């Protein structure tokens, strides 16, 4: 079954904001609109009530002015009639001039209030009648009839007109006071309404903020829980990967050791078994060649047989050496490495230099074979990949162990990890060294060659023990 690669699956696009956040945000938007509407409504209502209040107060003041001017006119006229001095008339004359404009202003202020307007019209008519009576009285005084003029003012009709005018003023004032009280109450009502509206909106907003905070707290808690679950899952996976890696390493080390011992066994058996046939055969052929004085076909065939046997013995020796270098077992790491390096350099036409520093005598067999295999694989890599002209090998005894460095002047590598990803040579070296408690690092740059450095910790006493053990063997 062909599986669709996971990367090609169309994932549904995630919304920028989860749906659950939309509701509170939408309500917050509506609430903001409501706040605007409430504020606009309140402002208009305040303005209207303020205008109404201003009109009522203005009308009240105009009524008082009318009343004051009327009283001044009457007082001025009486003063004139009683004293006959013209200067007492001036309040009357001033009132005559002022009253019409005050009446017009009052009418303007009551323009939008029909009943008020009607009452004001009736009042101004009474004022006009009163002024007309005063005017007639003055006309009479102008003829010298002061008595008659006063009598006209004090007549029953004039008194009745005064009483009607006073009553009209009072009812107008009462109405105006009532209107003022009503508008003040409306002002308070709209203040209350606006306060309640704002309180309601603020309450709703507070509830929304609380709701959002709850959602956020819940989401944060969930996210934290998820992160914890993921972290513990990652931790578990890492532990499992580490365990598996350790198992694989142990298995690989075991296989390396097994493989080395199998190779050693095979090398021993090949040596013993093949030597049993090849050595006597070689001796017999040599004996036959010595006895034969024939210059013809027999001698030719004996010579070829000798050559074939020599080649066979050579091949046997090479196979055995590759399986388990006998020099390593008999003489130790330094001669085995020297022999291998010389062979490899000769075959690949490389200039080689082997440097041994300090006492690298006998080491424990597993350390010797591990370091020998590191040199063997490094040389193989140089021959196969490095395109080098020169190789330097350094074997050195350090205070705390043995170090081996194989350095070439070849093409180098850009990234060792990447280069070694799909092969086993470099990783195999690491495994071998790890199995004997050692480590390895590779220093390489493109164009600057490669240096493979291996180190196996080993105290000097261990090396001496190994030497003594081998000598006793
Ligand atoms: N001395 C070197 N100079 C340049 N490149 C090297 C050198 N040693 C290793 N490499 C690079 O590193 C890669 C990995 O080497 P490694 O020995 O692990 O594998 P390999 O030699 O390719 O195969 P094998 O598994 O048979 O050893 C090589 O393929 C090569 O590209
Ligand atoms: Mg290799």
């Amino acid at each position: 079954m062909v599986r669709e690669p996971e990367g090609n699956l169309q994932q549904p696009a995630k919304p920028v904001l989860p749906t659950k956040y939309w509701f509170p945000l939408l309500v917050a938007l509506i609430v903001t609109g409501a706040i605007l509407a409430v504020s606009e409504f309140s402002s208009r209502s305040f303005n209207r009530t303020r205008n109404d209040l201003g009109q009522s107060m203005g009308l009240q003041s105009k009524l008082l002015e009318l009343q004051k001017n009327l009283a001044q006119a009457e007082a001025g006229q009486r003063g004139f009639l009683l004293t006959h001095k013209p200067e007492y008339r001036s309040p009357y004359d001033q009132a005559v001039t002022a009253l019409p404009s005050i009446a017009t202003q009052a009418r303007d202020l009551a323009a939008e209030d029909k009943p008020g307007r009607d009452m004001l019209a009736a009042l101004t008519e009474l004022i006009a009648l009163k002024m007309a009576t005063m005017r007639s009285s003055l006309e009479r005084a102008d003829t010298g009839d002061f008595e008659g003029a006063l009598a006209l003012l004090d007549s029953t009709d004039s008194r009745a007109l005064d009483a009607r005018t006073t009553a009209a003023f009072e009812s107008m004032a009462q109405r105006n006071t009532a209107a003022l009280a009503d508008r003040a109450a409306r002002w308070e009502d709209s203040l209350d309404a606006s306060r309640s509206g704002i309180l309601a909106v603020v309450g709703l907003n507070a509830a929304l903020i609380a709701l959002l905070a709850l959602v956020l707290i819940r989401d944060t808690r969930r996210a934290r829980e998820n992160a914890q679950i993921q972290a513990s899952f990652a931790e578990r996976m890492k532990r499992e990967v580490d365990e598996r890696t350790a198992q694989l390493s142990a298995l690989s080390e075991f296989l390396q050791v097994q493989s080395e011992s199998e190779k050693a066994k095979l090398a021993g058996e090949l040596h013993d078994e093949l030597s049993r046939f090849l050595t006597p055969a070689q001796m017999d052929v040599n004996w036959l060649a010595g006895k034969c004085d024939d210059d013809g076909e027999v001698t030719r065939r004996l010579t070829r047989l000798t050559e074939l046997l020599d080649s066979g013995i050579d091949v046997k020796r090479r196979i055995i050496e590759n399986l388990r270098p006998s020099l390593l077992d008999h003489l130790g790491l330094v001669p085995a490495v020297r022999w291998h390096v010389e062979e490899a350099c000769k075959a690949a036409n490389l200039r080689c230099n082997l440097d041994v520093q300090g006492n690298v005598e006998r080491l424990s067999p597993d350390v010797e074979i591990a370091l020998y295999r590191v040199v063997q694989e490094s040389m193989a890599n140089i021959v196969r990949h490095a395109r080098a002209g020169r190789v330097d090998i350094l074997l050195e005894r350090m205070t705390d162990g043995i170090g081996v460095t194989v350095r070439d002047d070849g093409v180098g590598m850009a990234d060792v990890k990447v280069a070694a990803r799909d092969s086993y040579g470099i990783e195999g070296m690491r495994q071998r060294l790890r199995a004997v408690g050692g480590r390895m690092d590779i220093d390489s740059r493109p164009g600057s060659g490669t240096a493979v450095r291996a180190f196996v910790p080993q105290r000097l006493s261990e090396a001496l023990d190994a030497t003594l053990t081998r000598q006793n063997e």
Side-chain angles (χ1 to χ4, degrees), residues 377 380-381 384-385 423-426:
E377 175 61 23
N381 278 349
R384 281 175 67 190
H385 312 293
S423 47
Y424 302 99
I426 290 175

Side-chain angles (χ1 to χ4, degrees), residues 377-378 380-388 406 408 410-413 415-416 418-429 442 444 449-452:
E377 175 61 23
S378 300
N381 278 349
I382 291 170
V383 173
R384 281 175 67 190
H385 312 293
R387 279 181 269 144
V406 182
D408 67 67
V411 292
M413 288 172 267
D415 188 333
V416 177
V418 173
R421 205 162 40 196
D422 298 324
S423 47
Y424 302 99
I426 290 175
E427 196 44 42
M429 289 195 268
I442 297 179
S444 185
T450 302
V452 176

Side-chain angles (χ1 to χ4, degrees), residues 33-140:
I35 291 175
L36 267 175
V38 165
S39 130
E40 187 58 28
F41 173 76
S42 305
S43 153
R44 284 190 186 184
S45 153
F46 284 146
N47 284 342
R48 213 172 30 247
T49 315
R50 195 191 58 207
N51 283 348
D52 289 354
L53 268 173
Q55 277 179 354
S56 295
M57 286 163 85
L59 189 59
Q60 191 82 333
S61 128
K62 291 299 158 195
L63 285 174
L64 284 172
E65 272 187 62
L66 280 174
Q67 212 166 8
K68 192 186 88 187
N69 273 284
L70 202 59
Q72 273 180 358
E74 199 176 353
Q77 193 191 32
R78 268 185 198 282
F80 170 64
L81 292 178
L82 289 172
T83 60
H84 300 186
K85 291 182 179 167
E87 62 266 29
Y88 279 88
R89 263 190 66 163
S90 65
Y92 167 80
D93 294 332
Q94 283 167 9
V96 168
T97 322
L99 276 169
S101 82
I102 297 171
T104 310
Q105 287 168 11
R107 238 192 332 273
D108 288 347
L109 286 166
E112 288 174 14
D113 173 21
K114 168 94 172 62
R117 215 168 54 217
D118 293 348
M119 283 177 87
L120 189 65
L123 178 65
T124 45
E125 210 169 297
L126 288 170
I127 291 170
L129 279 173
K130 179 76 184 160
M131 292 307 288
T133 309
M134 281 194 248
R135 202 166 45 246
S136 315
S137 161
L138 279 178
E139 278 166 7
R140 200 167 280 191

Side-chain angles (χ1 to χ4, degrees), residues 229-248:
I229 289 170
Q230 277 177 8
S232 77
F233 179 71
E235 176 67 23
R236 215 174 54 235
M237 289 303 288
K238 188 180 169 304
R239 253 200 327 269
E240 272 181 27
V241 168
D242 286 351
E243 272 170 25
R244 290 284 147 83
T245 310
Q247 282 172 359
L248 284 175

